[in-house]
Amino acid sequence: MTSILLDTPNVPALKVENLVVDFKTKNGVVNAVRGVSFSVDRGEVLAVVGESGSGKTITSLTTMALLPSTARTAGVVEVDGHDVLNASEADMDSKRGNVVSMVFQEPMTALNPSMKVGKQVAEAILNHRGLSKAEAMARAVELLDRVGIPDPAVKARNFPHQLSGGQRQRVVIAIALACDPTLIIADEPTTALDVTVQAEILELLRNLVKETNTALLLITHNMGVVADLSDRVVVMNAGKVIETGTTVQVLTEPAEPYTQALLAAVPTLPEAQWDAIFAEERTGEPRHAEPAGNSPLVDPVLDMREVCVDYTSGGRKLRAVNQAGLVINRGEIVGLVGESGSGKSTLGRAPLGLVPVTGGEITLFGGNVLKASTREIRKLRSRIGIIFQDPGGSLDPRMTVGDSIAEPLVMHGVNGKRPGRAERDARVRELLEAVRLPAANANRYPHELSGGQRQRIGLARALALAPELLIADEPTSALDVSVQDEVLTLLLDLQKEHGFGCLFISHDLAVVHSVSQRVTVMQHGNVIESGLSSKVLQRPEAPYTRHLLASVPSPNPIVQRQRREARTALLLSSGTRGS
């Protein structure tokens, strides 16, 4: 039943006053949220930002009464005038999805993999509205159309795995909108998405808030998303609100040192030369690339030319990388960027012999990889370090940190000899010191460390054999901005000290700009642009690169407004807007 308070203008969509959330643990009581207060009105977007452990997600879960039984709460939480903290479970069941709904970070875990997406949207309607199954399904198709799903009647009969990541997130948003809620909570709704898909989702949320007058509580650590979408900002740290204000005020003139440090840690992308780019768009005369800046052969540790990688699926040959080239010189960092499925990670694995290379040439440290024997490849691999995207998944949970770091020494040896325990322990201590971690961490296990500490362990292990080439595949994507800044600074310091070449694979153009001298852009398995980072990321020649740059949100609200206008203009000029 719709609340009689729904049309009362003075009742906020969400009111939180002096909220306290504690958890009972075997080691005592943990104070997760301490005296938090804020409100959100209809038609408003409020962003709650902070690092992992700040209490922002716990606060959002409290508004839907989704905390575990070990939690104790105090204070006031009202959604559309309804008391949440003292409501019964039956009462909250009638409110969840109806008065308040949530858009989760990872749509694949939020959606039922065994149920067609149309039925999942209809299920939310059937739970709260007195409609027949046919009427609910018709409404589900309308909602899928509203959130921009192409051929909604057809897509409604698909399972989640048959949709792209962006389409799955749109389905989750359709479910959240199904019963016209007063409040939508979006918890990191774009973290797992490419920048172009992220831009589309942010535009969708912005338009839906405007059209439906729904309140949106945005939980995120991405300051670019905050600048793009929110009206006001609440900054949390250690369970407390430390700063609040309008988005422009907080992001351009932060008052608190913590907020200032948080913003200072955000990598920024220099604004592209949009006037010159649009002049080229109008005349159809793009600038000519400078070949000398694209692939200079100075002292190459890796030289890939016209590399092709093919996979076979169901008897069909699928080309993942098509005649791609890349050069990395000793002592330089080359960024490799592109969206998911562009082939960048596949190209990064090619020198290691981990993917089926079917054409081209790969020269590693002067040797031909494609003609090398298994023994020769093993020797070449000992000269390469690898940093993986997920540090938790790349470390054996049964091994101590020290044993994980020493593993390359055991596998490959040093100068042809396998070092003894004392020598390995000394090298582990040296590596831990290099990545600025106490030597005592050698006896700990991965689950006992934070995400940033685990990534430092991954970096230490990659450096164990003093590599001449480091391949870093999305090494900071799962980290908070301040931890990301620490890891990137550490990587740059170690690279300067040891002089190794580095292939830095990422979809975050701002991060790539902050670390790389040159950048290569991939799309659909092809290298479409390559050159000095300062040129490619400010005056790109390829239309795809231009769309990528315009889709990267800036943490400055004023700059972000200009970037959003540039993206709209590019979409209109290419005829893809609204498609």
Side-chain angles (χ1 to χ4, degrees):
M1 181 178 292
T2 303
S3 167
I4 60 172
L5 294 169
L6 195 61
D7 298 320
T8 306
N10 295 326
V11 175
L14 173 64
K15 181 170 76 171
V16 178
E17 287 185 354
N18 295 317
L19 175 64
V20 175
V21 181
D22 296 333
F23 290 94
K24 293 179 183 178
T25 72
K26 62 181 181 180
N27 297 319
V29 176
V30 175
N31 308 119
V33 177
R34 299 184 285 171
V36 167
S37 298
F38 61 82
S39 65
V40 192
D41 292 325
R42 292 170 181 79
E44 180 182 37
V45 180
L46 176 71
V48 180
V49 304
E51 298 172 286
S52 297
S54 64
K56 60 185 188 296
T57 296
I58 294 297
T59 301
S60 70
L61 292 174
T62 306
T63 64
M64 296 187 73
L66 292 176
L67 295 175
S69 59
T70 55
R72 296 182 303 185
T73 59
V76 175
V77 176
E78 292 180 356
V79 175
D80 195 25
H82 300 282
D83 183 356
V84 171
L85 298 186
N86 298 306
S88 66
E89 183 60 28
D91 190 26
M92 285 309 302
D93 277 344
S94 69
K95 301 295 187 294
R96 297 188 195 106
N98 188 20
V99 178
V100 55
S101 58
M102 182 170 272
V103 177
F104 294 94
Q105 176 177 350
E106 178 47 65
M108 275 305 282
T109 57
L111 295 172
N112 187 335
S114 62
M115 184 184 293
K116 294 177 180 178
V117 296
K119 284 189 175 181
Q120 297 192 54
V121 179
E123 184 178 45
I125 300 167
L126 289 169
N127 286 342
H128 298 288
R129 297 289 188 265
L131 300 180
S132 67
K133 288 185 178 181
E135 290 171 329
M137 183 57 70
R139 169 70 174 151
V141 173
E142 288 177 12
L143 285 163
L144 292 175
D145 183 50
R146 185 178 191 178
V147 298
I149 297 285
D151 301 319
V154 175
K155 290 291 192 292
R157 298 192 293 271
N158 285 359
F159 291 95
H161 73 272
Q162 295 175 297
L163 305 181
S164 68
Q167 288 174 339
R168 287 194 291 266
Q169 193 62 289
R170 288 172 187 267
V171 171
V172 172
I173 294 171
I175 294 172
L177 288 170
C179 297
D180 300 315
T182 303
L183 171 69
I184 294 177
I185 301 169
D187 189 0
E188 300 281 10
T190 62
T191 298
L193 303 177
D194 291 319
V195 288
T196 52
V197 180
Q198 174 180 265
E200 294 170 4
I201 295 299
L202 293 177
E203 184 176 14
L204 170 63
L205 289 171
R206 187 184 308 108
N207 292 336
L208 288 172
V209 169
K210 188 183 301 181
E211 293 167 7
T212 63
N213 203 36
T214 302
L216 180 64
L217 180 65
L218 176 67
I219 311 296
T220 186
H221 66 263
N222 188 323
M223 294 301 186
V225 170
V226 173
D228 188 66
L229 191 58
S230 69
D231 301 302
R232 290 189 298 119
V233 180
V234 169
V235 182
M236 290 186 66
N237 182 33
K240 297 190 292 186
V241 171
I242 62 166
E243 186 165 1
T244 184
T246 67
T247 301
V248 173
Q249 174 189 334
V250 173
L251 296 191
T252 60
E253 298 179 357
E256 294 296 321
Y258 174 78
T259 312
Q260 294 167 3
L262 206 59
L263 288 167
V266 178
T268 55
L269 193 63
E271 200 57 16
Q273 299 170 13
W274 294 116
D275 290 343
I277 289 170
F278 286 127
E280 293 166 2
E281 292 265 341
R282 286 192 296 271
T283 61
E285 297 179 1
R287 68 175 178 86
H288 294 290
E290 300 176 18
N294 286 348
S295 300
L297 286 168
V298 180
D299 184 10
V301 291
L302 175 63
D303 184 4
M304 295 193 282
R305 303 188 182 192
E306 298 186 344
V307 172
C308 297
V309 177
D310 295 329
Y311 294 101
T312 302
S313 176
R316 294 174 55 215
K317 186 173 77 171
L318 303 175
R319 176 146 291 186
V321 173
N322 182 47
Q323 296 185 333
L326 181 71
V327 171
I328 301 175
N329 293 301
R330 196 176 303 276
E332 76 168 348
I333 300 177
V334 175
L336 182 59
V337 303
E339 297 175 287
S340 297
S342 63
K344 60 184 186 298
S345 290
T346 302
L347 186 62
R349 294 188 184 108
L352 299 166
L354 299 178
V355 293
V357 177
T358 54
E361 298 178 14
I362 300 178
T363 303
L364 194 60
F365 313 121
N368 190 327
V369 172
L370 301 183
K371 294 182 179 178
S373 65
T374 303
R375 184 178 179 182
E376 289 170 332
I377 289 177
R378 182 179 173 85
K379 284 189 68 176
L380 290 173
R381 283 178 180 170
S382 69
R383 300 166 71 181
I384 304 174
I386 308 171
I387 307 175
F388 297 96
Q389 177 175 353
D390 179 9
S394 65
L395 297 173
D396 190 330
R398 299 165 299 179
M399 294 174 65
T400 65
V401 162
D403 286 341
S404 289
I405 295 174
E407 191 174 22
L409 301 171
V410 175
M411 290 181 63
H412 295 285
V414 178
N415 297 323
K417 295 181 179 181
R418 189 161 294 175
R421 167 60 71 176
E423 189 178 348
R424 293 202 306 269
D425 289 347
R427 178 61 174 156
V428 166
R429 288 193 297 271
E430 180 185 333
L431 289 163
L432 284 170
E433 184 179 330
V435 298
R436 298 166 196 166
L437 285 175
N441 280 304
N443 297 318
R444 301 173 72 182
Y445 287 88
H447 73 273
E448 298 178 293
L449 305 178
S450 69
Q453 288 173 325
R454 286 195 294 265
Q455 194 59 285
R456 288 168 185 257
I457 297 303
L459 178 54
R461 183 176 60 180
L463 296 175
L465 296 173
E468 299 165 65
L469 172 65
L470 189 69
I471 297 177
D473 192 357
E474 299 278 10
T476 62
S477 64
L479 304 178
D480 288 324
V481 287
S482 57
V483 180
Q484 173 182 264
D485 183 58
E486 292 172 3
V487 171
L488 291 176
T489 300
L490 176 61
L491 175 64
L492 287 171
D493 290 346
L494 291 170
Q495 196 265 344
K496 288 177 183 176
E497 180 182 348
H498 299 286
F500 51 78
C502 179
L503 176 62
F504 192 96
I505 304 169
S506 179
H507 67 264
D508 191 326
L509 274 69
V511 168
V512 167
H513 174 265
S514 70
V515 299
S516 65
Q517 291 84 43
R518 292 187 296 112
V519 64
T520 294
V521 183
M522 290 191 72
Q523 181 188 26
H524 304 319
N526 297 289
V527 170
I528 62 166
E529 189 157 8
S530 184
L532 295 174
S533 297
S534 57
K535 293 184 179 180
V536 173
L537 298 181
Q538 286 187 274
R539 187 83 179 275
E541 180 179 354
Y544 174 74
T545 312
R546 294 173 176 179
H547 283 289
L548 276 182
L549 289 175
S551 299
V552 178
S554 167
N556 185 308
I558 299 168
V559 173
Q560 175 53 24
R561 193 176 305 120
Q562 297 169 343
R563 201 171 287 180
R564 192 164 64 234
E565 290 170 355
R567 178 177 177 271
T568 300
L570 286 170
L571 290 172
L572 288 171
S573 68
S574 63
T576 58
R577 187 167 181 80
S579 61

